[in-house]
Amino acid sequence: MTIYPFTSHVVVRSGIARVTFAGELDLDTAPRVQDAVTACPERQPTSLCLDLTGVSFCDCAGLSALFRARTLALRAGVDLVVEGVGTQLARLLSRVGADGLFTARSTPPQAEPTAWAAADTAATRPDAAAAATAESLPPGLLT
C-alpha cells in the first residue's frame, strides 16, 4: 500500500527530457515510470534525466521499472542520467549487483535550460546501443 502519493512530471527542453518522480515507487506505482518514460521519445530527446530526489521508497517492482526505463532509453539511442538516488535505493541497487548500472549525477543541474543541457551532455554514455542488451543487467531482473 502506498502511503505517500506518487507523482511524475515530464519536461522536455533543448532535446533533454527530464522526468521527476516523487513518492513511493512500488508495485502500485511502477507502471507510471514506464508511462512517463515512453512518452518522452515522442518529443525526440537526445538525453533523458530521471530525477529520483523525491522518491522516498523503492521496492523490487520499482527497481524493475527503472531497469525497463533504462533499457527503453538505451534502445532508443537516448543517453540516460539518474540523479537523486537516495540511501534506500542505493542499498537496493547494491544488493542486486546493479549499483554501477546507471550513470549517476549527485547534484541536480541549475534550473536554466542551457546550463541543464550542458550538464547532461557532459554525462552521456558513448556506447548506448551496446549497453541496451539484456546481458547488461544482472540475470533475471527483467523476467
Side-chain angles (χ1 to χ4, degrees), residues 67-86:
F67 291 146
R68 282 192 301 274
R70 176 183 180 270
T71 301
L72 287 170
L74 295 176
R75 282 186 181 157
V78 176
D79 296 317
L80 178 69
V81 175
V82 177
E83 63 183 38
V85 174

Side-chain angles (χ1 to χ4, degrees), residues 9-102:
H9 183 69
V10 179
V11 175
V12 180
R13 289 187 187 137
S14 302
I16 302 168
R18 181 179 182 84
V19 184
T20 304
F21 298 112
E24 294 185 358
L25 182 49
D26 57 18
L27 184 61
D28 293 334
T29 61
R32 295 178 62 191
V33 172
Q34 187 168 351
D35 292 344
V37 172
T38 55
C40 293
E42 295 170 2
R43 300 181 198 168
Q44 300 179 342
T46 57
S47 184
L48 172 62
C49 176
L50 298 181
D51 183 355
L52 306 176
T53 305
V55 174
S56 57
F57 172 79
C58 183
D59 69 4
C60 291
L63 189 60
S64 182
L66 293 174
F67 291 146
R68 282 192 301 274
R70 176 183 180 270
T71 301
L72 287 170
L74 295 176
R75 282 186 181 157
V78 176
D79 296 317
L80 178 69
V81 175
V82 177
E83 63 183 38
V85 174
T87 306
Q88 186 266 331
L89 179 54
R91 189 171 44 247
L92 185 59
L93 285 166
S94 177
R95 288 190 182 227
V96 299
D99 45 348
L101 194 61
F102 293 103

Side-chain angles (χ1 to χ4, degrees), residues 83-141:
E83 63 183 38
V85 174
T87 306
Q88 186 266 331
L89 179 54
R91 189 171 44 247
L92 185 59
L93 285 166
S94 177
R95 288 190 182 227
V96 299
D99 45 348
L101 194 61
F102 293 103
T103 302
R105 182 172 47 223
S106 58
T107 56
Q110 297 175 4
E112 283 296 318
T114 54
W116 186 43
D120 274 358
T121 301
T124 59
R125 294 180 54 116
D127 62 339
T133 64
E135 295 85 43
S136 66
L137 295 176
L141 286 176

